[in-house]
Amino acid sequence: MEELDPVALRKEFPLLETRRRPDGKRLVYLDSASSSQRPYQVLEAMDTYYSTTHANVHRGVYAIAEEATRQFEEARAKVGRFVGAPNPATEIVFTKNATEALNLVAHSYGRGRLGMGKAVLLTEMEHHANLVPWLMLAGERGTELRYLPITDSYQLDLSDLDKLVDGAGVVAVSAMSNVLGTVNDLRPIVEAAHAAGAVVVVDASQLVPHRVVDVAAIGADFVAFTGHKMLGPTGIGVLWGREGLLEEMPPFLGGGEMIRDVRLDGFTTNDIPWKFEAGTPPIAEAIGLGAAVDYLESVGREAIAAHERALTYQAIELLTDRHGDDIRIFGPGPDDPNRGGVISFAYRDIHPHDLAQVLDSSGVCVRAGHHCAKPLMRRLGVSATARASLYLYNDEEDVTALSDALAKAGEFFG
Amino acid sequence: MSGLEDLYREIILDHYRSPRNRGELPVPPAQRVEGFNPLCGDEVVVFLEFADGVVKDVKIAGQGCSISQSSASMMSAAVKGKSIEEARQLISSFKAMMSIHEQAIGGDGSDGERAEANIPPDGLGELAALQGVVKFPVRIKCATLSWNTLAQALDEATAGVAADGAA
Ligand SMILES: Cc1ncc(COP(=O)(O)O)c(C=O)c1O
């Protein structure tokens, strides 16, 4: 495996290459967990599609329409192979984002297939995207929601797993926390869920961009992720689902594309995956996501994971060495080999909003807030955290810039 | 640190470090109203006690960033002893100061100049120090959180009085 060179890679990301801070230095972008930047290969793929091939898909019989359809379906197959889908052509549903993918499952499986009286088991570390759709279901049908708690070392507490999963019809869990950086060991959860007869929904929004994810190896039934966190465009997300389950489920949104026949008194649905893709799909975005997948594969996902592991270790060591008790990191320690490159922290008693503002004046972009995980914030006993997140284009210089900017913020607020 | 001094004026930092009227009041006779900033999870609790149509006492609880906390602190100092009408007037002056940026970008797009040029924060006293917040649009919600909460408390108080009168 070849080591990746973040300095060389940055040259391929137009925003990182051209955007300058007021003092002329390059931007230090540490918010990829919220949304990554994208390389020119992705932008060009979308541009080329629009300027040479665009027509609506699955409709026209003329040449460019066929070509657009072919490119769109090729992108689907590519994304499917990327995550190890056994049947890439039928099991990959394109959505607007991960949120829509998870709503699709909660709606079509939750309302359509989940037996009355069956519970849904979630975790305390879920993003609102994998929480609110289930709360909506609970509000409508009285579905019981249960939660796997987290330990004081920021891991899922599985000690009551067997009890909690008993009577559950769905277990919905995040593969990696967008706040803590914890990468969850899904195997025992999948095993217990399947033994109890529940389907497993995995929110892999934070994991797919950074690690090799193989849906077949995970053994889950649904896996959701989102394009804009993995170098792809906004406006596209992905749901992988087992063929048999997708076939049984009722559609989510209704309209064109998802039907086979419509009469004035009813309709029949299209085959999967189109049954779940009502209306004109995000065609250029799918092609852009395909290009992002090509890019990630050309850099090498093992190399990306290795780079992020090393940099995350360096970052946590540097921050704790230099700032000591001034910094408190909410997440697994640097030695946890599974830990992702998401570092949430508190610095002295400076409010994360103020911290992010002062860091911005040093050209360092970090996120401050509840990160769409309010129950987790309550569990941590804070209303917000600051969060720096790393990706393939970050390097030690970025981490040092963060550390310097924190020291400046400390001086500023005295 | 471009522009940071515009945002974090000394007086703002002072109110943040030593907030005025911090605490709670017994309910009743005081009124208690909570406000949330859904963007960042900040929370402010305003306690208001009235006597003869005047804000007799006010206390602020909750947690948040320096902008939301100092704004709440300055607000508490400003409304204490004011009549309900005067307090309402203050709220609208403050919110007008905070909405200048939005008007400017909704208008001809030359937001920077207009945001700087035409603010007459008359009668706002030290609250005028928060004027710099309009250059940082995401922080406007932090500055207005306690004011929206105060407005709600006043509405509830006057609705309560009307209801009592009717009964
Ligand atoms: C863990 C997790 N799940 C879901 C989402 C939602 O992604 P999107 O906003 O693209 O739907 C995010 C990102 O915000 C996330 O971090």
Side-chain angles (χ1 to χ4, degrees):
Chain A
M1 179 183 74
E2 225 179 299
E3 258 186 54
L4 63 77
D5 176 2
V7 181
L9 289 180
R10 275 203 295 270
K11 295 202 192 339
E12 301 185 318
F13 287 74
L15 185 144
L16 298 176
E17 189 55 15
T18 57
R19 182 86 198 204
R20 288 285 174 267
R21 324 178 211 166
D23 66 3
K25 290 197 193 138
R26 73 177 176 85
L27 203 63
V28 174
Y29 188 74
L30 294 172
D31 197 20
S32 297
S34 183
S35 198
S36 72
Q37 299 301 338
R38 45 217 39 69
Y40 75 83
Q41 288 90 335
V42 168
L43 303 172
E44 275 180 4
M46 294 173 73
D47 258 5
T48 305
Y49 163 73
Y50 272 129
S51 41
T52 66
T53 319
H54 175 72
N56 213 331
V57 293
H58 303 139
R59 288 169 177 71
V61 290
Y62 43 92
I64 58 167
E66 276 177 8
E67 173 65 10
T69 304
R70 192 181 58 73
Q71 286 188 22
F72 178 67
E73 292 301 330
E74 264 177 23
R76 186 194 308 278
K78 197 181 279 181
V79 171
R81 287 193 301 270
F82 185 70
V83 294
N87 305 293
T90 52
E91 294 179 332
I92 295 292
V93 178
F94 283 132
T95 60
K96 171 165 65 127
N97 48 33
T99 303
E100 189 184 292
L102 292 162
N103 273 275
L104 192 166
V105 179
H107 188 97
S108 294
Y109 190 86
R111 284 172 187 74
R113 281 328 225 191
L114 179 63
M116 275 296 179
K118 287 285 187 185
V120 173
L121 176 60
L122 305 163
T123 85
E124 271 185 350
M125 63 166 79
E126 295 314 306
H127 186 283
H128 295 166
N130 195 29
L131 179 54
V132 180
W134 303 109
L135 285 167
M136 288 164 68
L137 183 71
E140 264 171 49
R141 312 205 324 168
T143 306
E144 180 197 351
L145 303 186
R146 302 172 185 168
Y147 297 92
L148 280 169
I150 61 167
T151 66
D152 291 337
S153 44
Y154 309 103
Q155 304 289 338
L156 285 180
D157 180 354
L158 301 185
S159 44
D160 284 332
L161 176 61
D162 288 337
K163 215 170 75 198
L164 286 168
V165 87
D166 185 32
V170 170
V171 176
V173 51
S174 124
M176 172 177 152
S177 162
N178 66 312
V179 175
L180 307 169
T182 308
V183 174
N184 292 320
D185 180 7
L186 297 172
R187 187 163 319 212
I189 299 173
V190 171
E191 273 173 19
H194 284 166
V199 301
V200 179
V201 184
V202 173
D203 175 2
S205 302
Q206 291 293 340
L207 197 65
V208 168
H210 305 279
R211 297 280 191 278
V212 177
V213 168
D214 185 312
V215 296
I218 293 174
D221 302 289
F222 299 98
V223 175
F225 51 103
T226 199
H228 66 99
K229 292 186 203 287
M230 53 187 287
L231 312 183
T234 58
I236 188 156
V238 179
L239 176 70
W240 169 81
R242 277 186 200 284
E243 202 174 67
L245 285 171
L246 292 177
E247 267 165 3
E248 284 173 10
M249 281 155 54
F252 177 37
L253 303 173
E257 182 91 2
M258 50 75 71
I259 48 87
R260 168 157 301 136
D261 187 25
V262 182
R263 291 168 310 277
L264 290 178
D265 59 355
F267 68 94
T268 50
T269 55
N270 201 341
D271 292 333
I272 58 167
W274 307 293
K275 177 168 86 178
F276 296 104
E277 295 180 351
T280 300
I283 308 167
E285 288 75 8
I287 289 163
L289 182 58
V293 160
D294 287 341
Y295 188 88
L296 288 167
E297 282 183 330
S298 75
V299 176
R301 277 186 289 174
E302 297 286 356
I304 294 171
H307 170 74
E308 286 180 18
R309 267 195 198 100
L311 190 59
T312 304
Y313 181 87
Q314 271 181 338
I316 297 179
E317 289 281 297
L318 178 78
L319 292 172
T320 47
D321 276 358
R322 173 152 173 211
H323 300 287
D325 291 342
D326 283 345
I327 194 162
R328 178 176 166 214
I329 293 175
F330 302 97
D335 296 317
D336 181 345
N338 275 328
R339 193 194 197 299
V342 166
I343 305 170
S344 272
F345 58 94
Y347 187 75
R348 298 204 192 160
D349 57 357
I350 304 175
H351 191 280
H353 245 174
D354 292 318
L355 203 55
Q357 191 91 61
V358 180
L359 296 188
D360 175 58
S361 72
S362 299
V364 176
C365 308
V366 301
R367 174 87 184 271
H370 53 60
H371 316 293
C372 299
K374 289 198 85 170
L376 177 57
M377 293 291 118
R378 285 197 190 97
R379 168 68 180 80
L380 299 174
V382 295
S383 64
T385 71
R387 180 187 73 185
S389 52
L390 307 167
Y391 210 177
L392 70 172
Y393 37 61
N394 294 116
D395 59 13
E396 206 179 340
E397 199 178 86
D398 294 334
V399 171
T400 308
L402 168 66
S403 176
D404 291 347
L406 283 176
K408 261 198 201 169
E411 278 168 36
F412 190 82
F413 285 100
Chain B
M1 300 237 188
S2 61
L4 268 193
E5 286 75 13
D6 285 340
L7 181 61
Y8 297 115
R9 302 270 170 79
E10 197 44 51
I11 188 155
I12 293 177
L13 294 177
D14 175 61
H15 274 269
Y16 176 50
R17 291 188 191 111
S18 356
R20 323 296 197 263
N21 302 306
R22 183 107 193 130
E24 305 192 354
L25 292 173
V27 183
Q31 190 125 11
R32 178 186 188 279
V33 180
E34 281 180 44
F36 289 95
N37 182 344
L39 277 180
C40 59
D42 282 2
E43 188 186 337
V44 65
V45 189
V46 175
F47 293 86
L48 274 184
E49 194 180 333
F50 301 95
D52 306 325
V54 164
V55 179
K56 186 175 145 218
D57 202 0
V58 52
K59 292 273 188 225
I60 307 286
Q63 50 180 332
C65 67
S66 62
I67 301 301
S68 72
Q69 295 300 290
S70 63
S71 182
S73 170
M74 288 189 220
M75 177 189 84
S76 70
V79 298
K80 209 161 165 172
K82 294 271 195 309
S83 72
I84 290 182
E85 213 25 67
E86 287 168 328
R88 285 222 165 94
Q89 193 56 50
L90 204 57
I91 294 173
S92 54
S93 304
F94 185 78
K95 293 191 69 168
M97 179 172 85
M98 284 299 137
S99 64
I100 280 161
H101 185 87
E102 283 159 25
Q103 289 164 6
I105 50 179
D108 61 6
S110 60
D111 53 327
E113 276 168 49
R114 286 178 57 181
E116 252 160 285
N118 70 10
I119 312 130
D122 289 346
L124 284 172
E126 63 181 16
L127 283 163
L130 284 162
Q131 199 183 313
V133 173
V134 294
K135 287 195 212 153
F136 298 81
V138 285
R139 305 302 294 276
I140 292 176
K141 282 204 167 62
C142 309
T144 52
L145 175 63
S146 56
W147 295 84
N148 290 331
T149 313
L150 174 68
Q152 194 187 330
L154 292 177
D155 287 349
E156 285 178 17
T158 43
V161 168
D164 287 350

